[in-house]
């Protein structure tokens, strides 16, 4: 008979931890969740919003009765918590999981601390939001997202099955990888792109003294392709340090790629440059549009509107009539490669599609996805 999860101890009551708690409570209302956050106000908000059933008196208060412990904390903090957990009195059958963006270092340390006793199963729900805090938590945040689990040689099939079952309310697609595979894949599609975005911003910043207009000219497409450079510096510092070996190899790959393009440009090889961009276009156009990936999607709608007073309130008025919520609105001054002068951002792809139909219903303005 499969072990029953009756009590969960959740450490970290931010967007991710709160959304996991809501998804579990929606699927299993009888499970009791005790939560702790280093920010007491976050814990109080979580209790008020019924994200958790009770606030733990301290980080490990009541943890001895937990059947499942979820560490929804930054990767560096997760290591420290695992170290402290090794000296706590825990249930023999307890399962511990985390939500970190790197897995190899954490999983290796957990195995060395717990051995074949406590079952630690690394986890990484590959979804997020541009909002933060438990107040932004949603039970459906991970729906149709990939939720990667990284069992090791110490993981029992029974424990893995129990964890997947208790998390099924997330409606995520579970994928099993080794910790090393996870870090290599996320290094390519998430970690290294953040480095590239930050380096592009640094490059633009160096030109600002000699070209004062660079910020205004970068307000359109450049700002869009470097959005991820606005992510938490502390979080990305820790992720890069945790995934050092994989990223060092990717630096070599990237330098090879840049040298390859540089040689084509230097040699005025037009045919090869065309093929280079065509191959990239074909691969990019073939990426899934409806699935959530490692980097949170931006659900933007560009509206080609005439520039006259009141046009923004006109558009937002129509959306309000249809009860469509906007998360952000912005006028784009430069329009190179961007069709619309007005950019509307939405929480979901469904909201964006509804907005497009709404605007086309009430106006003759053209709308475009990026």
């Amino acid at each position: 008979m499969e072990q029953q999860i009756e009590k969960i101890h959740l450490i970290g009551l931010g967007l991710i931890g709160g959304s996991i708690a809501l998804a579990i409570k929606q699927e299993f209302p009888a499970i009791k969740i005790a939560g702790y956050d280093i920010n007491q106000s976050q814990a109080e908000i979580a209790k008020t919003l019924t994200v958790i059933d009770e606030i733990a008196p301290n980080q490990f208060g009541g943890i001895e009765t937990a059947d499942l412990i979820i560490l929804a904390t930054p990767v560096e903090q997760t290591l420290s918590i695992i170290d402290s957990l090794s000296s706590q009195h825990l249930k023999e059958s307890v399962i511990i999981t985390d939500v970190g963006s790197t897995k190899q270092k954490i999983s290796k340390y957990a195995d060395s601390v717990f051995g074949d006793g406590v079952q630690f199963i690394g986890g990484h729900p590959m979804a997020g939001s541009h909002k933060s805090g438990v107040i932004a938590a949603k039970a459906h945040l991970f729906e149709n997202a990939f939720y990667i689990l990284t069992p090791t040689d110490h993981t029992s099939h029974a424990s893995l099955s129990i964890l997947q079952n208790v998390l099924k309310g997330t409606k995520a697609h579970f994928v099993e990888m080794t910790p090393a595979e996870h870090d290599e894949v996320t290094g390519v599609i998430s970690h290294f792109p953040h480095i590239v975005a930050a380096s592009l911003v640094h490059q633009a910043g160096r030109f600002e003294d000699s070209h004062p207009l660079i910020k205004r000219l970068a307000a359109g497409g450049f700002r869009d392709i470097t959005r991820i450079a606005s992510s938490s510096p502390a979080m990305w510092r820790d992720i890069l340090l945790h995934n050092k070996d994989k990223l060092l190899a990717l630096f070599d790959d990237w330098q090879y790629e840049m040298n390859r393009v540089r040689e084509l440009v230097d040699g005025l090889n037009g045919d090869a440059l065309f093929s280079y961009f065509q191959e990239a276009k074909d691969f990019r156009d073939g990426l899934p549009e409806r699935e959530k990936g490692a980097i949170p999607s931006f659900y933007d709608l560009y509206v080609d509107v005439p520039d006259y007073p009141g046009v923004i309130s006109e558009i937002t008025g129509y959306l309000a009539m249809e009860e469509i919520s906007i998360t952000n609105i912005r006028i784009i001054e430069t329009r190179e490669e961007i069709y619309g002068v007005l950019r509307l951002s939405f929480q979901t792809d469904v909201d964006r599609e509804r907005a497009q139909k709404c605007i086309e219903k009430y106006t003759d303005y053209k709308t475009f996805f990026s």
Side-chain angles (χ1 to χ4, degrees), residues 47-185:
K47 178 68 167 62
T48 300
L49 297 176
T50 66
V51 173
I52 58 175
D53 298 294
E54 60 181 285
I55 300 174
N58 53 62
Q59 187 166 242
F60 302 124
I63 205 166
E64 67 278 357
T65 61
D67 303 297
L68 171 64
I69 300 169
I70 302 174
L71 310 180
T73 53
V75 289
E76 199 62 38
Q77 190 178 342
T78 297
L79 281 176
S80 176
I81 294 172
I82 288 172
D83 188 53
S84 298
L85 280 173
S86 64
S87 61
Q88 299 294 315
H89 180 66
L90 305 175
K91 275 190 172 183
E92 288 186 8
S93 59
V94 71
I95 298 170
I96 302 175
T97 189
D98 75 321
V99 300
S101 299
T102 61
K103 296 269 72 85
Q104 200 167 4
K105 189 173 181 180
I106 289 173
S107 295
K108 184 177 181 180
Y109 187 68
D111 278 354
S112 71
V113 168
F114 299 126
D116 292 321
V118 168
Q119 290 284 293
F120 179 86
I121 305 171
H124 180 195
M126 298 181 75
S129 172
H130 310 297
K131 296 183 179 181
S132 61
V134 72
I135 198 167
K138 292 179 173 59
H140 62 267
L141 181 67
F142 310 109
E143 188 171 350
N144 295 322
F146 290 105
Y147 199 126
I148 299 179
L149 297 174
T150 56
T152 66
D153 293 340
H154 295 275
T155 306
S156 70
H157 292 295
S159 296
L160 186 61
S161 175
I162 291 166
L163 181 59
Q164 287 191 11
N165 183 64
V166 79
L167 293 173
K168 69 181 181 182
T170 61
K171 296 181 171 58
H173 302 298
F174 293 105
V175 177
E176 292 178 33
M177 292 183 178
T178 67
E181 286 173 332
H182 169 276
D183 286 359
E184 187 164 29
V185 170

Side-chain angles (χ1 to χ4, degrees), residues 8 10 17-34 46-47 49-54 139 166-167 169-170:
I8 294 173
L10 171 60
S19 296
I20 290 175
L22 287 173
I24 292 173
K25 288 171 70 66
Q26 185 170 271
E27 187 75 21
F28 301 102
I31 292 179
K32 299 301 179 185
I33 303 178
K47 178 68 167 62
L49 297 176
T50 66
V51 173
I52 58 175
D53 298 294
E54 60 181 285
V166 79
L167 293 173
T170 61

Side-chain angles (χ1 to χ4, degrees), residues 183-201:
D183 286 359
E184 187 164 29
V185 170
T186 54
V188 171
I189 62 172
S190 175
H191 304 168
F192 205 79
H194 278 80
I195 297 172
V196 173
S199 67
L200 289 173
V201 173

